Amino acid sequence: MIVRHIVIAGFVAIGVPATGPAASPVEAEVYILAGQSNMSGRGALSELSTTDRVADERITVYGNDGMLRVALDPLDDASGQVDAVSADRQAAVGPGLPFARAMLRRHGRAILLVPCAKGGSSMAQWAPGGDRSTLYGSCIARAREAGGRIAGMLWYQGESDARDVATAARWSAAFADLVTAFRRDLRMPQLAVSAVSLSDRPVRDADRYPGWTDIQRQQTHLKIACTDGVSAAGLPHNADDLHLATRAQQRLGTMLAGSMTRLRREGCR
């Protein structure tokens, strides 16, 4: 069993200013951040503005080290990682914190983020079941441990599956099974899920991703109750032509907040 600790005063004391009163985890709405590298984040930390670096104590993160702290990027920091299966040592700026800030502006409720993403992970690696040595099992365990009320999940994944045409063709069925499993194991049959459809297909090494367009098509035509989608098409990439740039992740986070708000209006949570 992991003993959770809250690191707030100590985190701010290293020179990071904070705003707003700190919220107890039991008061917070919990959002799971799952998928692969573009959810973990590859946006450059150096491109964050001074305002981006100001913490709000109403937004916390259940770190990979089993600690609760005021949230700042990289949310998916692998320092002190408890569950090695999801360690992502390249984690940087993702959509999670911009999402939380946008949700806080919209609804005024404290937010607790639970990062579970793993760079390079495929749908097969997210297969439901297993203990916390698996991506799925770890994510379920961390969501339960975090405290608070689970309010939704953000999902961004598909680049790895796009490398094989046959695998890509099965993406939507695998995703539907995964959503069903999360809802069952979290005992939340109407869990709100906001999913991102892939950004523009990379021009560089485009032949590596023959299933990209097919997965994009499936992601933009999801027919799963209490699931909404946003498209990353047109958002700027880093120089690697695969991962979203910092400003793209910030825009995406705001889009995801709009998606999650739509789901809440429909009674999904």
Side-chain angles (χ1 to χ4, degrees), residues 42-44 47 204 236-246:
R42 296 294 187 268
E47 294 177 6
R204 181 187 303 174
H237 287 161
N238 287 331
D240 65 7
D241 201 26
L242 178 64
H243 295 105
L244 296 186
T246 295

Side-chain angles (χ1 to χ4, degrees), residues 12 19 34 45 51 58 63 67 69 90 92 98 110 126 141 147 152 172 184 194 201 211 213-214 228 231 257 260 263:
V12 175
T19 62
L45 293 166
T51 302
R58 295 166 295 179
M67 307 280 278
R69 55 173 55 83
Q90 298 180 64
W126 277 97
S172 60
R184 179 194 65 227
S194 292
R201 182 178 177 178
T213 302
D214 186 19
D228 189 51
S231 175
M260 189 60 66
L263 290 170

Side-chain angles (χ1 to χ4, degrees), residues 91-144:
V93 179
L97 189 52
F99 162 82
R101 287 170 169 161
M103 290 295 287
L104 186 60
R105 290 193 297 270
R106 286 171 177 261
H107 305 288
R109 299 185 184 94
I111 291 174
L112 198 169
L113 302 169
V114 181
C116 294
K118 169 66 173 179
S121 58
S122 65
M123 287 301 297
Q125 290 172 291
W126 277 97
D131 59 20
R132 61 188 306 156
S133 67
T134 69
L135 287 174
Y136 178 84
S138 171
C139 195
I140 289 289
R142 286 172 46 71
R144 289 171 174 164

Side-chain angles (χ1 to χ4, degrees), residues 10-260:
F11 189 80
V12 175
I14 63 174
V16 180
T19 62
S24 164
V26 297
E27 300 169 349
E29 292 186 340
V30 177
Y31 290 95
I32 298 166
L33 312 177
Q36 59 178 109
S37 55
N38 269 316
M39 179 59 75
S40 181
R42 296 294 187 268
L45 293 166
S46 62
E47 294 177 6
L48 293 174
S49 69
T50 300
T51 302
D52 295 330
R53 299 170 190 270
V54 176
D56 188 321
E57 292 188 1
R58 295 166 295 179
I59 302 174
T60 51
V61 59
Y62 184 47
N64 289 308
D65 57 359
M67 307 280 278
L68 282 169
R69 55 173 55 83
V70 174
L72 281 175
D73 284 316
L75 295 176
D76 208 8
D77 187 359
S79 301
Q81 185 94 18
V82 174
D83 293 344
V85 65
S86 62
D88 193 334
R89 304 196 180 280
Q90 298 180 64
V93 179
L97 189 52
F99 162 82
R101 287 170 169 161
M103 290 295 287
L104 186 60
R105 290 193 297 270
R106 286 171 177 261
H107 305 288
R109 299 185 184 94
I111 291 174
L112 198 169
L113 302 169
V114 181
C116 294
K118 169 66 173 179
S121 58
S122 65
M123 287 301 297
Q125 290 172 291
W126 277 97
D131 59 20
R132 61 188 306 156
S133 67
T134 69
L135 287 174
Y136 178 84
S138 171
C139 195
I140 289 289
R142 286 172 46 71
R144 289 171 174 164
E145 289 169 355
R149 181 184 68 81
I150 298 174
M153 180 170 75
L154 307 185
W155 178 265
Y156 191 167
Q157 189 276 340
E159 296 93 340
S160 291
D161 293 75
R163 293 180 177 181
D164 179 78
V165 171
T167 301
R170 298 190 293 269
W171 190 92
S172 60
F175 181 65
D177 289 345
L178 183 65
V179 170
T180 297
F182 267 106
R183 289 173 173 168
R184 179 194 65 227
D185 292 338
L186 293 174
R187 299 181 181 179
M188 299 187 67
Q190 292 184 299
L191 176 69
V193 178
S194 292
V196 182
S197 63
L198 295 179
S199 63
D200 297 336
R201 182 178 177 178
V203 175
R204 181 187 303 174
D205 297 326
D207 291 346
R208 294 181 61 195
Y209 303 99
W212 191 281
T213 302
D214 186 19
I215 289 180
Q216 273 184 322
R217 178 189 58 78
Q218 294 175 60
Q219 291 173 333
T220 55
H221 293 87
L222 291 174
K223 303 294 184 183
I224 305 172
C226 285
T227 300
D228 189 51
V230 301
S231 175
L235 294 178
H237 287 161
N238 287 331
D240 65 7
D241 201 26
L242 178 64
H243 295 105
L244 296 186
T246 295
R247 67 184 184 276
Q249 290 285 19
Q250 292 170 332
R251 172 60 182 149
L252 180 60
T254 301
M255 293 163 61
L256 285 164
S259 169
M260 189 60 66

